[in-house]
Amino acid sequence: QVQLTESGGGLVQAGGSLRLSCAASGSTSSIKAIGWYRQTPGKQRELVARFDSVGRTNYADFALGRFTISRDNAKNTVYLQMNNLKPEDTAVYSCEAVIATNTILRELWGQGTPVTVSS
């Protein structure tokens, strides 16, 4: 089994930066894709950035130029560097992985880490 543990959220002023971490443990070789989503109350969860099954990165438009997703395979950790944060970036950020078990794919979510950007 795989577990995802996020960290790095918190309170930051507008224009500031945060780096989120998502550490995967367990059967990490079964992870086919991994990335970050965010959600605010009353809104649907939305993609922030992710690595797809062949390692390409996908970014939401709002993340381009401000956020960078990276990974350290030796540590089984995916990072989200967020720069020039805006109040509208306030959300719970969750790590998501697509896990393959035999031929079955399923989604796995971390517990989420809250980010609050003050104006």
Side-chain angles (χ1 to χ4, degrees), residues 4-63:
L4 303 174
T5 304
E6 300 110 326
S7 61
L11 174 64
V12 64
Q13 288 189 329
S17 298
L18 283 174
R19 189 177 80 156
L20 307 183
S21 300
C22 172
S25 60
S27 302
T28 56
S29 61
S30 64
I31 296 175
K32 299 307 176 187
I34 191 166
W36 291 94
Y37 287 73
R38 71 183 188 183
Q39 188 170 25
T40 54
K43 297 179 93 173
Q44 282 195 330
R45 183 180 285 158
E46 61 181 351
L47 170 72
V48 180
R50 72 193 297 263
F51 289 101
D52 68 11
S53 60
V54 294
R56 293 172 302 200
T57 54
N58 307 120
Y59 286 92
D61 287 345
F62 65 79

Side-chain angles (χ1 to χ4, degrees), residues 89-111:
D89 295 317
T90 295
V92 175
Y93 286 71
S94 298
C95 184
E96 178 256 8
V98 175
I99 309 297
T101 304
N102 295 321
T103 59
I104 298 173
L105 298 178
R106 64 181 179 91
E107 279 188 314
L108 178 69
W109 293 91
Q111 81 283 1

